[in-house]
Amino acid sequence: IDRSGKAVIEPQYSFALNFLEGLAPVMKNGKWGYIDTQNNLVLDFQFDAASNFIENRATVIKENQTYLINPKGTSFAKGYDNISQFMNGFALCMKDNKFGIINKKGHLKVAGLDKIAQGNQSLYAFSRNNFWGFITADGRETVIPYFTSVGDFKNGLAMVQLDKKFGYINQKGDVVIPIIYESAQDFSNGMASVKLRGIYYFLDENGHEKLALSLDGRSVSERIIVKVNQNELLYHNGELVTASIK
């Protein structure tokens, strides 16, 4: 259907995905093919599974083989157990429970990783011997595996965990915000939520505390007092009753 709800292609397929890059995967009689926006069959129904085209590549499965195709049906990178969608010209791949990175020609750029996660700034979090670091698509380790866990880079900073404490590093691996917090979240809109000694703080990219939230010890289930910096908010049965602003 189009945005007005009018049927553009009448129901005729067992299953279908959305159009991306002018093509959509559709299923008929248990096999997947690709159609264009005029419902012309571009790639015949031959695949056991098929993904959307992203960056001119789609992942398909045929006869128990997983590989990439372009919109003309040319195949790349055969022999993998799974291949992710492409981002910035690269995709993650898996074979025999090991992970790597391939380019759009199907060439293997990185191999033999225990775990890997696709990032949004051309850096990939990866694991070796149960420790996490960061690697580029060409295999250069920008942050050696040292941390218990890591987040994604947002605003140039990534959340990291060392044992049971959390902090933030830059893309060079330098600790920018100390690893002292009991919990932490990725940055969003220039702020990150952390917890220290039972108090929740919102930090800016320099680690400055912009907002502090805590639950007052006088609170009970039906009467909750929330402290925001030096101010108090009183909630009764979930509704704000009073606010003491200082």
Side-chain angles (χ1 to χ4, degrees):
I1 61 173
D2 60 18
R3 293 182 182 276
S4 67
K6 179 183 177 181
V8 177
I9 299 175
E10 294 294 334
Q12 57 195 278
Y13 301 110
S14 304
F15 201 83
L17 301 181
N18 291 330
F19 279 95
L20 284 179
E21 300 185 1
L23 297 175
V26 292
M27 179 194 279
K28 181 179 283 188
N29 299 324
K31 295 293 184 180
W32 288 83
Y34 289 84
I35 59 171
D36 63 18
T37 54
Q38 303 302 313
N39 199 29
N40 297 313
L41 186 62
V42 177
L43 294 175
D44 198 12
F45 297 98
Q46 58 185 297
F47 305 111
D48 300 316
S51 73
N52 282 110
F53 277 95
I54 296 177
E55 296 189 12
N56 232 28
R57 296 290 184 270
T59 301
V60 296
I61 300 176
K62 182 179 179 180
E63 297 174 353
N64 295 320
Q65 287 195 63
T66 299
Y67 55 94
L68 299 173
I69 58 171
N70 65 16
K72 294 182 179 180
T74 305
S75 60
F76 306 84
K78 288 189 175 182
Y80 293 102
D81 298 327
N82 202 359
I83 303 173
S84 75
Q85 70 182 37
F86 274 82
M87 183 180 294
N88 300 320
F90 296 94
L92 307 182
C93 60
M94 182 181 74
K95 183 177 178 61
D96 299 329
N97 292 320
K98 289 291 184 179
F99 295 85
I101 302 172
I102 59 174
N103 64 16
K104 293 176 71 173
K105 294 182 179 180
H107 296 160
L108 188 63
K109 308 298 290 185
V110 179
L113 302 178
D114 295 338
K115 295 178 183 178
I116 191 169
Q118 196 156 27
N120 60 10
Q121 294 190 11
S122 300
L123 286 177
Y124 301 81
F126 78 103
S127 172
R128 185 169 61 224
N129 298 326
N130 294 321
F131 291 98
W132 286 86
F134 288 91
I135 195 171
T136 63
D138 59 4
R140 182 170 56 90
E141 296 184 11
T142 59
V143 180
I144 63 172
Y146 177 72
F147 300 102
T148 309
S149 68
V150 296
D152 196 8
F153 277 99
K154 304 285 181 64
N155 298 96
L157 299 177
M159 181 275 297
V160 295
Q161 179 185 1
L162 193 57
D163 295 327
K164 296 183 178 181
K165 298 295 183 181
F166 296 82
Y168 297 85
I169 62 171
N170 61 21
Q171 294 185 8
K172 295 180 181 179
D174 302 323
V175 175
V176 176
I177 298 176
I179 305 174
I180 60 174
Y181 298 98
E182 298 155 14
S183 67
Q185 303 297 321
D186 289 336
F187 270 86
S188 177
N189 298 319
M191 302 285 280
S193 170
V194 297
K195 180 183 179 183
L196 182 64
R197 292 188 289 274
I199 299 176
Y200 289 91
Y201 297 93
F202 286 92
L203 307 180
D204 65 16
E205 296 161 16
N206 297 311
H208 298 149
E209 298 171 359
K210 295 299 182 181
L211 194 64
L213 296 143
S214 63
L215 188 65
D216 190 274
R218 297 169 290 170
S219 298
V220 292
S221 59
E222 71 278 2
R223 181 176 178 274
I224 297 175
I225 303 172
V226 178
K227 290 185 176 181
V228 183
N229 292 344
Q230 300 301 315
N231 308 312
E232 291 186 354
L233 304 177
L234 173 61
Y235 291 86
H236 185 73
N237 291 330
E239 294 186 3
L240 180 63
V241 178
T242 61
S244 174
I245 309 299
K246 299 180 182 179

